Amino acid sequence: MTVQDQTATTLPTDLNPQQMPRHVAVIMDGNGRWAQRRGLSRMIGHRQGTIALRNLVNYCADWGIGALTAYAFSTENWGRPSAEVNFLMELFNQQVLQAMKGMAKNNVRFRVVGDLGRLPPALQRNLEAAIDQTHANQGLDFTVALNYGGRQEITQACRHIAAQVQQGHLNPEDIDDDLFGRYLFTEGIGDPDLLIRTSGEMRISNFLLWQLAYAEIYVTPTLWPDFDRSEFHQALCDYQKRQRRFGKL
């Protein structure tokens, strides 16, 4: 079955609007396997995956979720075949250009986290344009992680804090969780309440290592291009059954 663009709808009646996650993070896994099972190229799988992501943005915006962060390309993904990496970079470029009008219309604020310096210059420019054009929007905070690695993010934050201490702008005793969070790529977004991973893999793959400390984790065997409204609905139903104690009784 080919995934089509789906229009967001009102919140399902069996979901409690008072218990919705404020921030959802998603590891979009399984594009290649989705394509291979259909005798198609991995590239087609990646393209179908962008449709699933657009749909998820619509659901989050329509169902009152404040933030969505999607893991699109990790620092380790550069090790894939060059033809696939080049295709993904061009696909990201196309998707950013296509999404700008929709994000402005739907009051979505777009952000990117990761080391963007390695990305193609044209993609960097278009990402910056999308960020600039949507920065005043006050609806869903939609963040894409590109050339992102959790360990690298934490290492970079440590370097910046160490430099501040060395320069006399910070005392070591000033460093706490809140201060450290201000030096992360995700500063100002807030930590995810729910992490969704598709394709059944039971790992977080160097994604938001600091921020996921108390996130509820939902893993589905569904491959990412097939992750639709009903799958997201099921993930939210499961989330609302959890008891979030944050280490307390």
Side-chain angles (χ1 to χ4, degrees), residues 108-121:
V108 173
R109 179 164 54 182
F110 179 69
R111 307 185 191 209
V112 185
V113 293
D115 181 3
L116 306 187
R118 190 174 176 183
L119 301 179

Side-chain angles (χ1 to χ4, degrees), residues 103-192:
M103 289 189 292
K105 178 181 177 182
N106 295 317
N107 202 27
V108 173
R109 179 164 54 182
F110 179 69
R111 307 185 191 209
V112 185
V113 293
D115 181 3
L116 306 187
R118 190 174 176 183
L119 301 179
L123 177 56
Q124 292 185 47
R125 289 193 297 270
N126 288 329
L127 290 170
E128 291 173 2
I131 292 168
D132 290 341
Q133 290 183 24
T134 64
H135 80 278
N137 292 347
Q138 298 181 348
L140 174 72
D141 272 319
F142 174 41
T143 303
V144 174
L146 279 174
N147 194 26
Y148 172 88
R151 287 182 174 180
Q152 291 83 348
E153 177 185 34
I154 291 171
T155 300
Q156 179 173 302
C158 290
R159 287 173 178 160
H160 289 164
I161 292 172
Q164 291 294 301
V165 172
Q166 187 178 45
Q167 295 166 16
H169 302 310
L170 274 179
N171 294 316
E173 56 269 23
D174 295 330
I175 302 170
D176 57 17
D177 287 359
D178 289 338
L179 184 142
F180 193 86
R182 293 200 293 272
Y183 285 84
L184 297 174
F185 292 140
T186 54
E187 191 274 328
I189 300 174
D191 294 342

Side-chain angles (χ1 to χ4, degrees), residues 27 29 33 195 197 200-206 217 219:
I27 299 176
D29 195 16
R33 277 167 283 174
L195 170 68
R197 176 155 193 159
E201 303 292 348
M202 304 293 287
R203 56 180 178 270
I204 58 175
S205 298
N206 200 22
I217 299 177
V219 177

Side-chain angles (χ1 to χ4, degrees), residues 20-237:
M20 296 292 282
R22 294 163 297 178
H23 182 178
V24 174
V26 60
I27 299 176
M28 307 178 292
D29 195 16
N31 291 339
R33 277 167 283 174
W34 181 93
Q36 290 169 346
R37 289 178 184 179
R38 290 160 175 77
L40 305 171
S41 74
R42 290 175 57 85
M43 314 309 181
I44 293 176
H46 291 310
R47 194 173 294 280
Q48 289 298 123
T50 65
I51 298 174
L53 180 57
R54 286 202 302 267
N55 290 335
L56 183 59
V57 170
N58 289 337
Y59 306 144
C60 289
D62 192 62
W63 292 356
I65 293 171
L68 170 67
T69 300
Y71 201 11
F73 192 88
S74 75
T75 50
E76 293 77 20
N77 287 154
W78 294 105
R80 294 186 176 186
S82 58
E84 182 171 349
V85 170
N86 292 338
F87 175 85
L88 286 169
M89 292 299 132
E90 182 54 33
L91 182 62
F92 296 150
N93 203 29
Q94 294 171 6
Q95 292 301 311
V96 171
L97 291 172
Q98 292 176 13
M100 277 198 229
K101 289 184 179 179
M103 289 189 292
K105 178 181 177 182
N106 295 317
N107 202 27
V108 173
R109 179 164 54 182
F110 179 69
R111 307 185 191 209
V112 185
V113 293
D115 181 3
L116 306 187
R118 190 174 176 183
L119 301 179
L123 177 56
Q124 292 185 47
R125 289 193 297 270
N126 288 329
L127 290 170
E128 291 173 2
I131 292 168
D132 290 341
Q133 290 183 24
T134 64
H135 80 278
N137 292 347
Q138 298 181 348
L140 174 72
D141 272 319
F142 174 41
T143 303
V144 174
L146 279 174
N147 194 26
Y148 172 88
R151 287 182 174 180
Q152 291 83 348
E153 177 185 34
I154 291 171
T155 300
Q156 179 173 302
C158 290
R159 287 173 178 160
H160 289 164
I161 292 172
Q164 291 294 301
V165 172
Q166 187 178 45
Q167 295 166 16
H169 302 310
L170 274 179
N171 294 316
E173 56 269 23
D174 295 330
I175 302 170
D176 57 17
D177 287 359
D178 289 338
L179 184 142
F180 193 86
R182 293 200 293 272
Y183 285 84
L184 297 174
F185 292 140
T186 54
E187 191 274 328
I189 300 174
D191 294 342
D193 299 298
L194 172 64
L195 170 68
I196 298 171
R197 176 155 193 159
T198 58
S199 87
E201 303 292 348
M202 304 293 287
R203 56 180 178 270
I204 58 175
S205 298
N206 200 22
F207 183 46
L208 300 178
L209 298 181
W210 175 275
Q211 299 88 336
L212 291 174
Y214 283 102
E216 298 296 324
I217 299 177
Y218 178 84
V219 177
T220 173
T222 299
L223 302 179
W224 175 247
D226 286 329
F227 190 85
D228 57 12
R229 180 185 184 277
S230 64
E231 291 281 347
F232 188 44
H233 179 196
Q234 183 175 338
L236 294 174
C237 286

